[in-house]
């Protein structure tokens, strides 16, 4: 991973977006996550939502910001015939995304670029929709994030955000990085975005829970291999696996995973 040109704050948020507590792990992510294509957001749910709310998605142009290995982008291109631009800071993930687009026969519809999303949000304009899937706070607070995403789409365009909210005040103390549902809704209203749909609870858990648990086992196995290869970093790999397990647990209890579809008005 070529991490040198980016400021420390960007690297810390990059680590956070992959649920790691330390940037020490950054060089190991391509190895740790090599068995996974989908890194967070359900491609099927996103493609289904675009199909539902866009009259002619095959004429549309979508930006998948922090697209990871391009699972969502490739699904949108394949299922809807839409053009997609995917941007991610991790070059190894972009390599996989390009390969997958080829394999799925949608390379002509997809363009993948290695870039910092913080730069991309200031340059990319005029899209019919933007997807911000399972990326956390890399663009700042919910308000900062929504304000920046709003600029990327044309009027009437859609913004799809996959995140999680805390369920009650007790949980809020433990999950200080997460906003409540009310805080998110307030930001949407103040930013001139209409909520078209909120997918949460049962639908999302059915789609994601099994995947989360199976993925965890794959990551655990890779972390064990890395611990043998780099015994001096064993503590970091173990902490990472424990953090992943906590996240899966939290998403089944105090945190609610959610996908919002918003219309710029
Ligand atoms: C949990 S993954 C989600 C990937 C994808 N959206 C998905 O749902 O499959 C988080 C992604 O954010 C990317 N990322 C983190 N910070 C970034 C930044 N500043 N600019 C671009 N991508 C970033 C990581 O490289 C990683 O691919």
């Amino acid at each position: 991973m070529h991490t040198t040109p980016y400021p420390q704050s960007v690297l810390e948020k990059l680590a956070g977006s992959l649920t790691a507590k330390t940037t020490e792990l950054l060089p190991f992510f391509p190895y740790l996550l090599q068995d996974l294509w989908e890194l967070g957001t359900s491609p099927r749910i996103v493609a289904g939502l675009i199909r539902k709310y866009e009259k002619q998605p095959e004429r549309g142009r979508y930006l998948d910001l922090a697209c990871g290995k391009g699972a969502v982008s490739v699904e949108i291109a394949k299922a809807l015939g839409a053009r997609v631009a995917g941007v991610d800071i991790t070059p190894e993930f972009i390599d996989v995304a390009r390969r997958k687009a080829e394999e799925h026969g949608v390379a002509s519809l997809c363009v993948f670029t290695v870039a910092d999303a913080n730069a991309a949000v200031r340059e990319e304009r005029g899209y019919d929709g933007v997807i911000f899937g399972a990326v956390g706070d890399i663009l700042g607070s919910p308000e900062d994030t929504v304000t920046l995403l709003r600029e990327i789409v044309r009027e009437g365009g859609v913004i799809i955000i996959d995140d999680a909210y805390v369920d009650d005040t007790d949980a809020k103390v433990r999950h200080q990085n997460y906003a409540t549902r009310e805080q998110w809704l307030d930001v949407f209203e103040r930013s001139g975005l209409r909520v078209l749909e909120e997918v949460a609870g049962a639908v999302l858990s059915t789609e994601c829970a099994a995947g989360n648990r199976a993925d965890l086992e794959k990551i655990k196995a890779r972390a064990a291999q890395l611990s043998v290869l780099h015994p001096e970093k064993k503590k970091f790999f173990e902490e990472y696996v424990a953090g992943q397990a906590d996240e899966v647990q939290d998403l089944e209890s105090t945190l609610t995973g959610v996908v919002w579809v918003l219309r710029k008005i």
Side-chain angles (χ1 to χ4, degrees):
M1 196 178 288
H2 310 293
T3 46
T4 18
Y6 301 110
Q8 185 63 17
S9 58
V10 169
L11 299 182
E12 279 166 13
K13 288 188 173 181
L14 164 59
S17 80
L18 293 160
T19 348
K21 293 192 177 70
T22 165
T23 53
E24 293 260 359
L25 279 171
L26 289 179
F28 300 103
F29 274 112
Y31 191 92
L32 278 168
L33 302 177
Q34 66 183 288
D35 305 307
L36 279 54
W37 182 24
E38 297 176 16
L39 296 183
T41 298
S42 159
R44 291 150 304 275
I45 287 186
V46 171
L49 289 167
I50 294 179
R51 180 180 283 121
K52 185 166 170 186
Y53 291 103
E54 293 281 87
K55 286 197 188 83
Q56 293 182 304
E58 69 283 1
R59 293 205 174 172
R61 209 167 58 93
Y62 297 87
L63 177 66
D64 187 2
L65 203 57
C67 64
K69 300 184 188 181
V72 171
S73 307
V74 168
E75 179 70 17
I76 294 172
K78 208 173 156 179
L80 309 175
R83 279 176 297 152
V84 189
V87 170
D88 200 280
I89 201 169
T90 306
E92 291 88 341
F93 292 173
I94 289 293
D95 289 344
V96 176
R98 288 180 182 142
R99 208 182 62 230
K100 289 284 186 184
E102 289 281 351
E103 279 171 23
H104 288 262
V106 290
S108 62
L109 292 173
C110 301
V111 178
F112 291 108
T113 310
V114 179
D116 179 359
N118 292 282
V121 288
R122 287 175 172 83
E123 288 155 16
E124 303 290 344
R125 293 291 180 265
Y127 284 87
D128 297 288
V130 60
I131 297 111
F132 194 68
V135 199
D137 66 350
I138 65 164
L139 298 178
S141 66
E143 182 143 24
D144 296 337
T145 303
V146 166
T147 305
L148 290 164
L149 295 179
R150 194 178 185 280
E151 290 301 306
I152 291 171
V153 297
R154 60 165 171 80
E155 219 156 280
V158 290
I159 299 174
I160 298 185
I161 298 177
D162 176 358
D163 209 287
Y165 55 76
V166 279
D167 287 334
D168 59 42
T169 334
D170 288 350
K172 177 99 180 113
V173 175
R174 209 153 63 78
H175 301 295
Q176 282 169 4
N177 289 340
Y178 288 91
T180 62
R181 178 172 179 272
E182 288 64 34
Q183 286 169 328
W184 275 107
L185 294 180
D186 183 50
V187 168
F188 298 152
E189 194 179 338
R190 281 188 288 114
S191 310
L193 297 174
R194 186 181 330 125
V195 179
L196 297 178
E197 187 159 339
E198 176 180 307
V199 183
V203 182
L204 211 55
S205 342
T206 318
E207 170 67 26
C208 300
N212 283 345
R213 295 232 163 249
D215 290 350
L216 184 58
E217 290 310 311
K218 292 176 187 157
I219 294 171
K220 248 188 212 171
R222 294 300 180 185
Q225 292 168 352
L226 283 175
S227 295
V228 175
L229 292 170
H230 305 275
E232 72 290 358
K233 300 217 189 290
K234 187 168 186 236
K235 181 177 78 130
F236 295 124
F237 303 132
E238 286 176 351
E239 266 176 19
Y240 176 66
V241 169
Q244 285 288 305
D246 282 351
E247 194 191 51
V248 170
Q249 178 79 40
D250 287 343
L251 281 166
E252 289 171 2
S253 53
T254 46
L255 285 180
T256 300
V258 62
V259 178
W260 278 294
V261 191
L262 311 158
R263 175 94 69 206
K264 176 170 170 177
I265 47 178

